[in-house]
Amino acid sequence: MLQQAQDYLKKYFGYTSFRKGQDQIIANIIAGKDTLGIMPTGGGKSICYQIPALIFPGITIVISPLISLMKDQTDTLTALGIPATFINSTLSQGEVNQRLGQADDGRYKLLYIAPERFESELFFSWIRSLPISMFAIDEAHCISQWGHDFRPSYQTIASVIEALPNRPIISAFTATATPEVIRDIETILDLKGNTFITGFQRENLVYSVVRGENKRDVVLQVLEDNPDQSGIIYASTRKEVQLLYDFLLLKGYRAGMYHGGMNEQERERNQDQFIYDEIQVMVATNAFGMGIDKSNVRFVIHYNLPKNMEAYVQEAGRAGRDGEPSQCILLFHPQDIQIQKFLIEQSVSHEERKKQEYEKLQIMVDYCHTQQCLSNYILQYFGETGHEECGTCSNCSEESELVDRTIEAQKVFSCIVRMQERYGVTMIAKVLKGSLDKKLLQFRLHHLSTYGLLKQHTEKEISDFIHWLVAEDYLMLAGGKFPIVKLRPPAKAVLLRQESVYRKVRKRKQVFAQDEVLFQHLRELRKQLAEEAQVPPYVIFADSTLREMCESLPGNRMDMLNVKGVGEVKYEKYGAQFLAVIQSYLQEHP
Ligand code: ADP
Ligand code: MG
Ligand code: ZN
């Protein structure tokens, strides 16, 4: 039977081999056992139930909380030649009845359903009569109160399934589960002993933490390094989202915005524009994401510190679902800790829980300061040890040199002392620059001996440097809205010449110019086909598939079917057109 699974993988999905864990999970399911699969985002959970669904005689019911994704998911399956549909609240009663009727007639192998349906008696009496082979429960962490996205209606699923005359097989899947959540899922669904954990490692994600640099500059740099590539920028407040969004528009980027303060229509429109590659970067609060299955997100930037590791891994994990190298960048500034503390104070009343949240936040802050491999740090948090260093994260790879900044730091510190630790970053920078700012003159700060000490630098460079000194714990920001800069003990040691200040400066990585022309041509064709079929571009082919076409330059049907992601049905639909583009490109560029 596993041979059949293998054949279907090639025939329908166009892949030659299973990924880590997929074969074991599929073998267990088709042997008729209930199964829980824990796999990282982008690890390929869908195939683990889709292939058994094709093998089983009856229908498979897929339960998913991601209503906004169901259409995409079933469109994707239909494009692969797999009969599938969905039922959720976006349909009229007429449409629902029609689909139920078609399911009764055996027209579908997979039926996607929102969990809420399981609370309806009518629905139960209908599914009783269906020949159901399997229930596949996606995003299974929603079943647990300990999960980060608990959905009460998930808890009714188990009893509904138990009450069916012939109990079907249950398979459940999730990416983000702490041991606690895993135990919960096992108990509620009664799955013990058939849990497969393939690990949390996402080898294609490149993690970096950036401290003490101007955040906007970093964002612009990332956008410049990734022309026309999709990305998400998360910020912690609506206001910050708005400011950054305005800034990016001003700089000429195709940016979109998403936060809880916008109305549903606006949000949905922006989300669709992002999914359909109409906008390049989405600036959003954490309200954005549940429901994003876009496979070609090339970077996720956290403009502010997230509240904990679970949230970070989930949000950053939206990068690179297609397996292509993608960046997860966290921009750290000590002030962001205050925002998170404030949010904890606002939202958590239970004392014990509050303590827990503070501990989780501290782990997140430690992530920003660790010298260790970032990927390993994350894996350890989820209980995985013994991995080799990733070699790609900012701690592993950074080609950096240490530059002695002791003199400049002393100038900054003594200026702060002269200003009696009573001013904020901006004013200190102005004094060091020797600015003729009106307020500065009014406060008579131009008489200080440190006035103009760093005049060869720009004011922005000076304030970035001060922020870096804050990030490195030489200085602290005190007070709320207009924080004042104060010295911390390490700064005093520097002033006394007992310690030196070294700044790690990144050597800019050399960017190799890849031939992008063909890739762009293929993307254009994909976009055009997607518009005709009214599906997102990645439903036609994933970025990784187009990349492989650029590398292997297929010249005929056989070559094309060897490209990862090209199955028979897709070849029949689109193969010839992509071949034609490649051939004409080769004629122009022999
Ligand atoms: P998740 O585990 O996050 O639900 P998906 O099921 O959406 O992941 O799969 C992520 C991507 O990986 C999809 O584009 C899918 O087609 C691809 N994929 C899954 N299995 C394989 C495989 N065996 N070989 C190559 N690509 C695969
Ligand atoms: Mg999934
Ligand atoms: Zn590393």
Side-chain angles (χ1 to χ4, degrees), residues 488-507:
R488 295 195 63 257
K492 291 174 189 150
V494 173
L495 277 176
L496 294 170
R497 301 210 167 91
Q498 292 163 344
E499 304 250 354
S500 303
V501 176
Y502 290 101
R503 185 168 189 183
K504 225 176 169 186
V505 180
R506 261 182 299 172
K507 284 189 188 160

Side-chain angles (χ1 to χ4, degrees), residues 20-67:
K20 199 173 150 202
Q22 283 180 328
D23 40 1
Q24 279 177 300
I25 292 176
I26 292 174
N28 203 59
I29 294 176
I30 54 188
K33 294 183 212 156
D34 290 349
T35 307
L36 171 59
I38 318 275
M39 252 189 206
T41 313
K45 290 184 280 297
S46 321
I47 279 178
C48 294
Y49 58 82
Q50 286 161 350
I51 288 183
L54 286 167
I55 292 174
F56 290 146
I59 192 170
T60 289
I61 309 265
V62 182
I63 302 161
S64 162
L66 308 175
I67 292 177

Side-chain angles (χ1 to χ4, degrees), residues 310-329:
E310 283 93 335
Y312 183 60
V313 165
Q314 193 169 49
E315 287 159 13
R318 297 198 173 109
R321 298 175 66 95
D322 55 7
E324 291 283 295
S326 308
Q327 290 178 281
C328 305
I329 302 163

